[in-house]
Amino acid sequence: MLPLKIVVIGGGAAGFFGAIATAQVNPDAQVTLVEASRQPLAKVRISGGGRCNVTHACFEAQRLVQNYPRGGKALLGAFTRFQAQDTIAWFATQGVKLKTEADGRMFPITDNSETIVECLMNEAHAAGVELIIGTPVVAVKRNTQTAGFEIVLKSKEILQCDRLLLATGSSIAGYKIAQDLGHHIEPPVPSLFTFNIADPKLRALAGISVNPVKLRLSINSKPQLEQTGALLITHWGLSGPSVLKLSAWGARVLHDSRYQAKLLINWLPDFQLEQVRQNILAVKAEWGRRPIALHRGVDLPHRLWQYILTRVGITTEDRWAELPNKMLNKLLAELTQGEYSISGKGAFKEEFVTCGGVNLKEVNFKTMESKLVPGLYFAGEILDIDGVTGGFNFQSAWTTAYLAGSAMGTSSVGASSVTN
Ligand SMILES: Cc1cc2nc3c(=O)[nH]c(=O)nc-3n(C[C@H](O)[C@H](O)[C@H](O)COP(=O)(O)OP(=O)(O)OC[C@H]3O[C@@H](n4cnc5c(N)ncnc54)[C@H](O)[C@@H]3O)c2cc1C
């Protein structure tokens, strides 16, 4: 009997992890990985600012899935089979130790993404994966005679295989292959971005961060989503974990609104409005003759306080004693629900992902096999799955790739037939 022929399209995190898993579970299988560019694992190399945030120290499937604006429900079962703890153990077996930072993000102890790239390259080599690089796949056809696939390379060469893993990330070419095979693609739109705010006075505060703030997104006067966390003022607007999370959860509605939205900022989410009022009134009573700009009643950076006052119309000379109640209420509103206009989407170079991809209802999450095309498997960002920042995107790539690889290599699993 001829060995099982498996082709993996895409040499990113998911493609490599899937190819290794399948070659390890079935050492007799012939595993070929085809990568379009000359540099496999390019995103791993640049990930996490060159350090590669491999995963997140979150070891309960129920909690882990809460970090995925899209795909969390589908991943729940998958994470019971392969989760962050398994990722740590897998890399440890290859001699790569990971460390956890205070916020839960996990990196190789070398702080160098090259460690992960080398590890995956070496393991693929050791497991006998054949690597074809610099060779885009232009089409995939089903071979009705063998129930396998014909992979058409740009060079016009055709590869035959019994099972196929599509791990082409967010590439249009990959979506098209999936579509041509009968799958539906949720329209791809960006996720994990910063907010542009066209206010020079705010931008002048670049570098100031406040933790926590509570953000509320509102589009066409309809409240949409909330996030609480750290906020960073930048040269183009707002960034920081709270903004990135909001951008991920709101990726689709923000795209549909052409990134025009209202953002309500509560600068003091740890306090009830009445508490803030009492604090301000206490300062007013104690410092009545002093300028409001110099004696703030709340714990916010001085320059930010002054900026908030200008938004309300309080000048640097205005004194507490002269502050009418109407202005005091305006100040309270500004502190707890200041309204900002999002005028566009910025870039977040540390981690950037695509929302959208292969419709999850069409995939069996026990094996990652297509429910429409026996023998076809999916892993990584090609799926309509994306996570917030913190290592969650790689974790979904490792998990889906491991499940796909293990299932593809095991001849008793999946509905596909095997050519002889
Ligand atoms: C700058 C940046 C930093 C990031 N940092 C982190 C991080 O620290 N932690 C984290 O969890 N996530 C991070 N991410 C997200 C993470 O990189 C992705 O979620 C992950 O790489 C997805 O892996 P993948 O294998 O599915 O896709 P990809 O890594 O995109 O790999 C897909 C591969 O398929 C190839 N391909 C596409 N079409 C074809 C074709 N037709 N024929 C052959 N090959 C093809 C591509 O060339 C590519 O190599 C980051 C993303 C960016 C952009």
Side-chain angles (χ1 to χ4, degrees), residues 9-16 34-37 39-44 46-49 51-55 107 135-138 167-174 177 192 348-353 379-382 388-397:
I9 308 181
F16 266 81
V34 189
E35 163 57 38
S37 76
Q39 248 211 9
L41 296 165
K43 272 199 199 169
V44 173
I46 56 164
S47 67
R51 294 198 299 146
C52 187
N53 180 190
V54 178
T55 185
F107 295 87
T135 310
V137 171
V138 291
T168 44
S170 54
S171 93
I172 304 292
I177 292 172
L192 293 178
F348 179 59
K349 296 191 187 102
E350 286 284 293
E351 187 173 339
F352 176 81
V353 286
E381 211 176 316
I382 188 173
V388 297
T389 57
F392 302 104
N393 284 302
F394 276 138
Q395 185 53 52
S396 81

Side-chain angles (χ1 to χ4, degrees), residues 136-280:
V137 171
V138 291
V140 173
K141 294 177 196 151
R142 291 186 76 181
N143 183 331
T144 43
Q145 279 180 347
T146 63
F149 301 91
E150 285 180 3
I151 320 291
V152 185
L153 308 183
K154 200 177 175 194
S155 60
K156 306 252 179 335
E157 192 189 337
I158 294 179
L159 304 178
Q160 303 277 348
C161 70
D162 306 302
R163 284 167 197 189
L164 171 65
L165 174 61
L166 259 187
T168 44
S170 54
S171 93
I172 304 292
Y175 293 144
K176 176 147 190 328
I177 292 172
Q179 235 165 358
D180 289 348
L181 288 167
H183 278 275
H184 293 97
I185 304 296
E186 296 303 320
V189 304
S191 182
L192 293 178
F193 46 85
T194 59
F195 295 158
N196 290 350
I197 311 275
D199 176 352
K201 285 187 185 150
L202 176 76
R203 293 172 177 201
L205 303 179
I208 287 182
S209 70
V210 181
N211 188 16
V213 301
K214 184 172 183 180
L215 303 180
R216 270 187 298 152
L217 192 65
S218 161
I219 297 176
N220 294 330
S221 307
K222 280 194 214 126
Q224 299 281 345
L225 298 157
E226 294 188 352
Q227 275 298 328
T228 302
L231 177 89
L232 174 69
I233 302 174
T234 68
H235 291 292
W236 58 90
L238 298 171
S239 182
S242 58
V243 167
L244 294 169
K245 276 189 192 158
L246 203 55
S247 79
W249 288 95
R252 207 163 278 290
V253 283
L254 279 162
H255 171 266
D256 294 348
S257 76
R258 294 167 188 261
Y259 305 100
Q260 309 290 314
K262 290 264 170 283
L263 184 70
L264 297 176
I265 306 182
N266 181 350
W267 295 99
L268 303 161
D270 286 344
F271 299 91
Q272 300 290 332
L273 179 64
E274 199 42 43
Q275 269 176 291
V276 181
R277 182 191 299 278
Q278 291 310 324
N279 287 353
I280 298 265

Side-chain angles (χ1 to χ4, degrees), residues 93-158:
T93 309
Q94 325 308 331
V96 174
K97 282 200 186 132
L98 304 181
K99 58 165 180 173
T100 311
E101 304 218 322
D103 58 4
R105 290 180 303 158
M106 299 196 71
F107 295 87
I109 54 166
T110 55
D111 271 331
N112 189 347
S113 59
E114 210 57 50
T115 306
I116 304 299
V117 171
E118 272 172 26
C119 167
L120 293 170
M121 292 290 277
N122 291 344
E123 266 323 291
H125 182 70
V129 175
E130 186 200 353
L131 206 59
I132 302 179
I133 60 165
T135 310
V137 171
V138 291
V140 173
K141 294 177 196 151
R142 291 186 76 181
N143 183 331
T144 43
Q145 279 180 347
T146 63
F149 301 91
E150 285 180 3
I151 320 291
V152 185
L153 308 183
K154 200 177 175 194
S155 60
K156 306 252 179 335
E157 192 189 337
I158 294 179

